[in-house]
Amino acid sequence: MENRIEERLPQVVEDRLQEAYHEIRERKAKQMTGKGKKKWIQHYSGIAAACAILVVGSLGALAATTYFQKEVHQEAGEVTYQFSLNYELIPGEYKITPSYLPEGYTDQKDGKYNRGEDDWITIMPIYTTAELDKLDGKLAMERVEKVEHTTLSGMEADIITYQEAQKYKADQDIYLFHPTEGCVIQIVASYSVPTEELLKFADSLSVERIGDAAFETEEEKQEREQEEAEEEQQNAHAKDTLTELVAAGIPEDKIFSVGEEVKYWGTGYTVTGYEYLDSIEGFSEENFFDFSRFDGWLNEDKTLKSYQRQYYDRDGQLIAEDTAEQEILKVDIKVHCYEKDDLMEIPLDFQRVPVEKISDQKLTWDLAFYQALPEENNYLQMDNSAVYLEGASHTEGEDRKQYFFKEMENGEEWTYTLLFVVDKDQRGQFVLTSCGANASFEQTPTMSAEEILSELEGYIYLE
């Protein structure tokens, strides 16, 4: 039936019903005789009754083509949608098209719309009945503060507000439910998108069924469950391997000091000196990768303002919040190109990796981490990478994406300076690694701790 009855019959019935009631209300019945009046009212009441029966029948027909029914459970910050699916109806594939975009937004395809990196709206992959079946008919959200029930684009819709949304700049979620088409639409938007603009977007959607899908066969289900089980095993293996690595610590021969050369990809790097500075006074703005990150974070004397930070344990659970003072770490590096891939330029950036001491001579990885409070918009320590490079050769337009890379020939040597923004109380609690080096540490799901330790290139420790 493709649910076309919803578009035709109910509207016809409604028109006839309203016409009948309108005539009943407007007819000058008082000019008629009592007997004639009674007969006339009985006639039009019959029409109304017949129309009403037709409406009920139509709704019954629509109910028979409903793809799902849902129940909503909300308590203690959790919202769960439980769907009862109609397995007699064939799942669909859908195309969702908005007729309204906020000013400045462009269509990036695949349901993505944005205005720069920070302002974006995404229509997530559609939850069809086939997809809901894979999820055992359940969608759940945590840390929910409130759910506002409304209607958008002719569909029942829920607007989700998360706890401490401003503090964490939480993404915005809207769920739209279309039981007669058989899909659930999820819209996710960045915190920065004005709510009224997001609602206009969500209220402009058209839903088009473009094909049929299918529920999983038993064989497909077993295959998926096998893949999920293997993924769980890999995650468990990764967790155990991380525990072993932290217990073992970084091998002493993988720790390099100032003046010692460590090699990555046929290139040697030597930290020739470093110092901590109170301000960025004397450093040209042109040499900063993105000087706009400092907006609002500099005092008049070019020292850095303090910020609110959060401390999380290795499992991502918040432990504490405090105020941290920031300073500049200046690192001087000599790079020597021994042998390089003809297609690859030499990487110059480094990252700070948190460590802690397990003995006077032994360092290990610190899997707990600090993070700036999101609402403060402090991006000075993004990725724990450098913010400044003297002598960069990629500085214009799209080429700036290669800012921290340099073309070098075999045998060539070059010295340069990096600046990092660090917390004052973190001195001696990190090592440096070239970005992308020591990649074996990221292979905990598939490698053993022994294999990872043996393949580490090494870290530079600033005591």
Side-chain angles (χ1 to χ4, degrees):
M1 293 179 64
E2 297 184 275
N3 299 321
R4 300 309 176 201
I5 190 172
E6 185 183 15
E7 299 177 6
R8 297 197 305 267
L9 189 54
Q11 188 58 53
V12 172
V13 171
E14 177 67 12
D15 290 344
R16 291 183 62 192
L17 184 60
Q18 292 304 322
E19 179 183 356
Y21 282 133
H22 177 75
E23 291 199 42
I24 291 173
R25 288 191 297 268
E26 299 299 324
R27 192 88 167 195
K28 296 180 180 180
K30 61 182 180 180
Q31 297 179 358
M32 301 172 62
T33 63
K35 183 176 180 181
K37 180 178 179 180
K38 182 176 180 181
K39 183 177 180 181
W40 180 88
I41 292 176
Q42 287 176 339
H43 170 70
Y44 277 92
S45 296
I47 294 177
C51 289
I53 292 171
L54 189 52
V55 169
V56 172
S58 300
L59 293 177
L62 288 176
T65 61
T66 296
Y67 283 73
F68 61 77
Q69 294 179 334
K70 71 174 174 63
E71 294 181 359
V72 185
H73 305 280
Q74 183 176 358
E75 59 179 340
E78 281 194 11
V79 172
T80 301
Y81 297 103
Q82 187 68 56
F83 298 89
S84 299
L85 307 181
N86 186 343
Y87 290 96
E88 295 182 0
L89 297 178
I90 298 173
E93 293 179 349
Y94 304 90
K95 178 181 179 182
I96 311 297
T97 306
S99 60
Y100 174 83
L101 288 180
E103 184 177 356
Y105 279 70
T106 57
D107 185 352
Q108 303 296 312
K109 308 303 181 184
D110 299 323
K112 300 176 182 178
Y113 307 86
N114 67 25
R115 180 179 58 195
E117 294 183 1
D118 298 328
D119 301 324
W120 51 267
I121 301 173
T122 298
I123 300 175
M124 300 296 287
I126 305 302
Y127 290 108
T128 65
T129 49
E131 295 302 317
L132 290 172
D133 180 53
K134 293 177 184 178
L135 298 171
D136 294 326
K138 183 167 68 175
L139 298 176
M141 285 136 279
E142 298 179 344
R143 294 186 56 81
V144 174
E145 180 178 292
K146 68 176 182 178
V147 180
E148 181 183 348
H149 305 293
T150 186
T151 300
L152 295 169
S153 295
M155 290 174 272
E156 180 184 344
D158 282 356
I159 303 169
I160 310 294
T161 301
Y162 291 98
Q163 298 170 4
E164 299 181 290
Q166 179 177 339
K167 179 178 180 179
Y168 290 98
K169 299 183 71 175
D171 293 343
Q172 304 177 71
D173 266 349
I174 298 177
Y175 286 84
L176 301 96
F177 307 94
H178 205 326
T180 56
E181 277 289 354
C183 62
V184 177
I185 302 167
Q186 181 188 5
I187 300 174
V188 183
S190 61
Y191 178 80
S192 57
V193 178
T195 301
E196 60 272 18
E197 290 292 282
L198 179 58
L199 292 179
K200 287 182 182 178
F201 174 91
D203 199 30
S204 74
L205 305 182
S206 62
V207 182
E208 178 186 359
R209 181 169 178 141
I210 58 175
D212 291 344
F215 290 108
E216 280 184 314
T217 65
E218 189 61 34
E219 182 179 349
E220 290 171 336
K221 182 178 180 180
Q222 291 177 2
E223 183 177 334
R224 174 176 58 82
E225 290 177 344
Q226 177 64 30
E227 290 176 354
E228 291 173 351
E230 291 174 357
E231 184 176 351
E232 287 183 7
Q233 289 178 348
Q234 285 189 339
N235 291 338
H237 180 273
K239 188 173 182 179
D240 292 341
T241 301
L242 277 175
T243 300
E244 291 181 42
L245 287 171
V246 171
I250 304 172
E252 292 182 24
D253 63 347
K254 304 291 186 178
I255 299 291
F256 295 79
S257 301
V258 174
E260 295 181 332
E261 184 182 63
V262 57
K263 289 184 178 179
Y264 307 116
W265 315 291
T267 303
Y269 299 84
T270 305
V271 171
T272 59
Y274 72 94
E275 60 180 320
Y276 290 94
L277 306 172
D278 290 330
S279 77
I280 59 172
E281 184 68 46
F283 294 97
S284 173
E285 292 184 15
E286 296 178 356
N287 293 328
F288 287 88
F289 174 66
D290 182 2
F291 195 73
S292 67
R293 292 184 190 175
F294 286 86
D295 291 348
W297 292 103
L298 289 177
N299 297 307
E300 291 185 5
D301 59 358
K302 298 294 183 71
T303 58
L304 294 169
K305 296 179 180 179
S306 59
Y307 75 104
Q308 292 299 114
R309 69 180 179 186
Q310 298 178 311
Y311 186 52
Y312 291 85
D313 65 18
R314 61 179 290 177
D315 296 318
Q317 298 299 312
L318 180 63
I319 298 174
E321 293 184 14
D322 62 9
T323 301
E325 296 183 347
Q326 301 180 103
E327 62 182 349
I328 299 295
L329 168 62
K330 175 178 175 286
V331 181
D332 298 316
I333 301 173
K334 178 178 68 176
V335 57
H336 186 101
C337 180
Y338 290 98
E339 180 182 358
K340 76 175 185 69
D341 187 324
D342 290 338
L343 299 177
M344 185 184 78
E345 292 188 324
I346 302 303
L348 303 175
D349 198 6
F350 275 72
Q351 285 180 310
R352 294 181 295 113
V353 176
V355 295
E356 58 183 343
K357 288 187 175 182
I358 52 178
S359 71
D360 291 340
Q361 302 297 323
K362 195 75 169 177
L363 295 174
T364 193
W365 296 270
D366 185 359
L367 302 182
F369 58 94
Y370 287 100
Q371 176 177 292
L373 193 65
E375 71 174 335
E376 290 201 330
N377 298 316
N378 182 359
Y379 305 115
L380 294 176
Q381 299 189 45
M382 183 184 297
D383 300 325
N384 289 327
S385 296
V387 297
Y388 173 101
L389 169 65
E390 248 177 39
S393 54
H394 301 287
T395 60
E396 302 296 332
E398 285 294 309
D399 194 41
R400 197 173 180 84
K401 293 180 179 179
Q402 300 294 109
Y403 190 81
F404 288 101
F405 289 84
K406 181 178 179 60
E407 179 67 40
M408 295 181 68
E409 300 297 330
N410 289 343
E412 185 178 353
E413 194 169 88
W414 191 60
T415 59
Y416 63 101
T417 297
L418 296 177
L419 296 184
F420 299 83
V421 177
V422 300
D423 294 345
K424 286 186 176 181
D425 61 1
Q426 295 301 296
R427 292 187 184 186
Q429 297 184 37
F430 59 85
V431 290
L432 296 178
T433 180
S434 179
C435 292
N438 297 299
S440 65
F441 188 76
E442 307 298 327
Q443 306 306 313
T444 52
T446 57
M447 295 174 62
S448 68
E450 184 178 353
E451 290 171 331
I452 290 172
L453 293 172
S454 67
E455 293 190 15
L456 293 174
E457 289 93 351
Y459 302 91
I460 301 172
Y461 183 48
L462 308 180
E463 299 186 36

